[in-house]
């Protein structure tokens, strides 16, 4: 069996729509990668889309739900290009914003806070702030 090597890929868009209400352009992304082993990284797809649509800031482009066709060679997913980063922060779900580094950080879970409180409460005669 001949091992596939990393090679070039092409990015196309289908069902392109301009959504004025959400300040974005949305479309289906089709990535053809016949000589590529595995799925093309999302960052590279975003980079190609930013070039294709002449987007100033690559952070405005989001690609998600990428599924590789059985047997490889083609991957399909959804893509969104926002008019500005402020609109993106307002509309995109928080989990997708976290993936690209724009979302809120995850808070410490409520259970672990309570467990820590109870561990500290059991201590006697020791400085409590050391055991947090």
């Amino acid at each position: 069996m001949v091992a596939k090597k990393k090679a070039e890929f092409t990015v196309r868009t289908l069902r392109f729509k301009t959504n004025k209400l959400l300040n974005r352009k949305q479309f289906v992304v089709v990535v053809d990668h016949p000589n590529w082993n595995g799925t093309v990284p999302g960052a590279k797809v975003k980079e190609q889309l930013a070039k294709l649509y002449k987007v100033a800031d690559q952070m405005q482009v989001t690609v998600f739900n990428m599924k590789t066709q059985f047997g490889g060679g083609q991957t399909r997913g959804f893509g969104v290009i926002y008019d500005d980063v402020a609109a993106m922060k307002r509309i995109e779900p928080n989990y997708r914003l976290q993936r690209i580094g724009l979302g809120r950080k995850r808070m410490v879970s409520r259970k672990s806070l309570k467990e820590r409180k109870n561990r500290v409460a059991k201590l006697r005669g020791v400085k409590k702030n050391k055991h947090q």
Side-chain angles (χ1 to χ4, degrees), residues 47-62:
E47 185 181 306
Q48 288 280 78
L49 285 169
K51 260 191 248 172
L52 185 68
Y53 289 105
K54 297 174 180 71
V55 179
D57 187 8
Q58 199 172 318
M59 293 292 263
Q60 293 170 245
V61 182
T62 307

Side-chain angles (χ1 to χ4, degrees), residues 2-129:
V2 178
K4 291 181 180 179
K5 60 180 190 228
K6 302 287 184 200
E8 62 278 338
F9 59 93
T10 57
V11 177
R12 294 181 291 133
T13 58
L14 303 172
R15 300 190 203 116
F16 191 89
K17 261 186 226 173
T18 303
N19 192 334
K20 299 268 187 197
L21 290 174
L22 297 177
N23 296 328
R24 69 185 188 187
K25 298 169 193 77
Q26 54 198 43
F27 43 84
V28 173
V29 180
V30 179
V31 183
D32 293 314
H33 48 92
N35 298 323
W36 193 285
N37 200 8
T39 306
V40 180
K44 292 195 177 206
V45 175
K46 281 171 63 168
E47 185 181 306
Q48 288 280 78
L49 285 169
K51 260 191 248 172
L52 185 68
Y53 289 105
K54 297 174 180 71
V55 179
D57 187 8
Q58 199 172 318
M59 293 292 263
Q60 293 170 245
V61 182
T62 307
V63 178
F64 55 95
N65 209 16
M66 300 296 277
K67 294 198 178 358
T68 305
Q69 184 181 8
F70 181 74
Q74 190 180 71
T75 303
R76 285 176 179 242
F78 296 105
V80 176
I81 299 174
Y82 283 92
D83 294 346
D84 54 356
V85 179
M88 183 177 190
K89 283 184 177 180
R90 192 175 63 248
I91 296 163
E92 276 291 289
N94 199 40
Y95 75 94
R96 284 207 300 253
L97 289 173
Q98 281 177 344
R99 285 179 187 171
I100 59 173
L102 290 176
R104 288 173 288 166
K105 298 288 183 228
R106 252 205 154 129
M107 303 295 284
V108 180
S109 71
R110 187 177 161 98
K111 184 175 181 180
S112 65
L113 285 174
K114 288 183 175 193
E115 286 173 350
R116 184 189 306 154
K117 175 191 68 104
N118 291 331
R119 270 197 310 271
V120 170
K122 288 178 190 173
L123 297 173
R124 276 192 65 184
V126 183
K127 274 195 170 179
K128 290 185 179 182
N129 61 359

